[in-house]
Amino acid sequence: MYIRDTIAAVSTPPGSGGIGIIRVSGEMASGIGATIFKPVCNGGLESHRFCYGTIVDDLSGVTIDEAMAVIMRSPHSYTREDVLELHCHGGMLVVEQVLSLVLRAGARLADPGEFTRRAFLNGRIDLIQAEAVMDIIGAQTDAALQMAQRQRSGALSLRISETRDLLLHALALIEAYIDFPEDDLGTTDFSTISSLVCQASSLLNQLIAGFDEGRILREGISVLIIGKPNAGKSRLLNRLLNENRAIVTHIPGTTRDIIEETINLGGLAVRLLDTAGIRHTMDIIEQEGINRALEKIPQADLVLFVLDGSRPFDREDQLIIDALQGRSVIAVVNKSDIPCVIDLPDFFSTLPLLHISAETGEGVEFLKDSIRSCFISTHTLDNREFVALSRARHRDVLRSAESSLQRIIGALASACCLELLSIDLRDALAAVGSVTGQVTNDELLDHIFSSFCIGK
Ligand code: GDP
């Protein structure tokens, strides 16, 4: 059940800052504003107008801070309820004190994502748009941000609703014949239903096909840098990061733990993991680092296997090959600035292979492009209209809708029972509706909104 109490939270990040914003939503928002905010101008707060004044402890009369306040009256607000924002100085203590006054005046502390949940429950946005709000906050690259903005503005919701309309039309035709069985379902109607279902199926398939790129844009990828000691892994990490993050020395075995940094490769967020050099060692700390590196291989989206071109291929390189079977790998032959002596075995004939110098930077830009193009096309990155599924939840329910549609297409091709068709169509509609939240339940909403931050 949706309880219309009044919620409040600090909407700015924890810690000190220039300003801190306390947000309040619900029927008491306006009254709380009147209780603790004293405007310098005459009259109370006017909707959508900032007002300068002070925040005062209503019991002691003590002034807590000078502040700006704004009320956004229902329904023209983020939640569609009355929303009050108090912008005070961004010290941790002052923000906490203002929040305490708000809570004492009748609000309750909001749960994570509760403002956005109310925006959804009050019909201002659908579930895809609510999830997109979180993606906007978490976006790590321009491309991810653009995709999230498009989803928030409703571009993906529109595609889903086009599919729903086609299915509703097909269902209406089928149900008409179920209700009036004396009218036979003629060939023309069969082909209309079939065509509607096929169009819906094709829209769903396009969306499902875009999922991998959508997910990658939203979440980014992880790239593991692996190789024997002194191959130049840390130098390469520094080169990719454009900073001296990892220690580079000629002494083998310097990197003992995993170093992790994120870069933006032209729109793709890439988590780089530099690992301990793989070799046989008696040093237990180094061995632990090697174990950790090997354990990371199955989790990585891509492995950069760094080879030292200035030394012959040896047992240590072979150890790595054994661990890489079945993985996505780019072979990177490093030290192209000095004579190359390495002779690579057959294993490499099937891999993308690049020669670079981590020292001079030669070939590193090409390596960056190669990493990116393993996952995402430049067409997608440049396409400002790119609309894709980016969450496994969306993909899974649309896949289940698509299987229902395939059953319907199969049934339409043979003599079929209309009641069964109608059941499959209803299943497909329910699945499609659950993406936007037309069909939903509290458990799903709790799951989605619990990953939001408090105050959003
Ligand atoms: P790691 O053990 O694989 O992380 O290797 P490092 O990045 O620490 O490099 C080992 C040694 O190789 C250092 O002395 C680096 O200066 C040197 N090195 C790394 N990359 C290159 C390169 O491209 N060319 C040359 N000539 N030396 C390199």
Side-chain angles (χ1 to χ4, degrees), residues 227-236 247-255 274-275 277 306 308 334-338 356-360:
K228 67 184 175 190
N230 269 355
K233 299 178 295 302
S234 300
R235 191 80 194 87
L236 175 59
I247 301 168
V248 175
T249 72
H250 63 282
I251 305 161
T254 334
T255 309
D274 180 23
T275 60
V306 183
D308 185 341
N334 188 29
K335 310 198 184 179
S336 63
D337 54 302
I338 51 178
I356 66 152
S357 166
E359 194 65 38
T360 65

Side-chain angles (χ1 to χ4, degrees), residues 127-135 391 393-394 435 448 452:
L127 212 45
I128 290 180
Q129 292 172 306
E131 287 170 312
V133 168
M134 190 158 63
D135 293 346
R391 289 174 181 269
R393 179 183 85 81
H394 302 162
V435 176
I448 291 174
F452 271 59

